[in-house]
């Protein structure tokens, strides 16, 4: 499957391969913010371990993100085409959605 333009720009692998930053390297945080950050990191690690125990994998998550990006691109293109069709016909977009059996409230 060919990656979409958006998926290429926002690939999860680029986020996962970022250099790890240790809290000791971050000197500019006030101690209150640092403690909150440490607490959030512990929470994320706990949640990550819970997901791994339930069978979630990084590769499945990457695939999920790729599919989500693809879906969003297709949805956005569809809404754009419907808008153009409505403009050509001189009718409200909602009318085209109803004609196609789509729910206009779910287009966002």
């Amino acid at each position: 499957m060919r990656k979409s333009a958006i998926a290429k720009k926002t690939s999860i692998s680029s986020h996962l391969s970022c250099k790890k930053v240790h809290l000791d390297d971050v000197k500019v945080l006030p101690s209150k913010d640092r403690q909150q950050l440490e607490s959030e990191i512990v929470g994320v690690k706990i949640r990550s371990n819970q997901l791994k125990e339930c069978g979630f994998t990084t590769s499945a998550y990457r695939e999920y993100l790729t599919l989500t990006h693809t879906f969003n691109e297709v949805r956005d293109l569809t809404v754009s085409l419907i808008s153009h069709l409505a403009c050509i016909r001189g009718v409200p977009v909602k009318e085209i959605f109803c004609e196609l059996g789509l729910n206009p409230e779910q287009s966002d």
Side-chain angles (χ1 to χ4, degrees):
M1 179 166 74
R2 196 176 63 114
K3 278 192 173 184
S4 64
I6 291 177
K8 286 179 185 175
K9 290 180 186 174
T10 59
S11 173
I12 186 66
S13 61
S14 66
H15 298 294
L16 294 177
S17 63
C18 291
K19 178 185 170 194
K20 290 186 179 182
V21 176
H22 296 283
L23 287 177
D24 295 334
D25 296 337
V26 182
K27 306 287 186 201
V28 294
L29 286 176
S31 67
K32 184 175 84 171
D33 292 339
R34 183 183 171 95
Q35 288 171 348
Q36 181 180 356
L37 184 58
E38 287 173 343
S39 172
E40 290 177 16
I41 289 171
V42 169
V44 167
K45 286 181 180 180
I46 290 170
R47 182 67 179 138
S48 176
N49 288 333
Q50 290 171 340
L51 290 171
K52 286 178 184 176
E53 289 172 5
C54 292
F56 290 94
T57 63
T58 303
S59 61
Y61 182 69
R62 286 180 184 154
E63 180 66 16
Y64 165 78
L65 286 179
T66 300
L67 292 172
T68 301
H69 285 297
T70 302
F71 169 81
N72 288 335
E73 285 183 332
V74 170
R75 184 198 59 208
D76 292 345
L77 179 61
T78 302
V79 171
S80 176
L81 289 172
I82 288 172
S83 296
H84 287 296
L85 181 59
C87 185
I88 290 169
R89 289 188 182 176
V91 298
V93 173
K94 186 174 183 176
E95 186 175 312
I96 303 293
F97 270 91
C98 292
E99 182 182 318
L100 296 172
L102 301 172
N103 183 352
E105 303 302 320
Q106 294 179 342
S107 64
D108 295 334

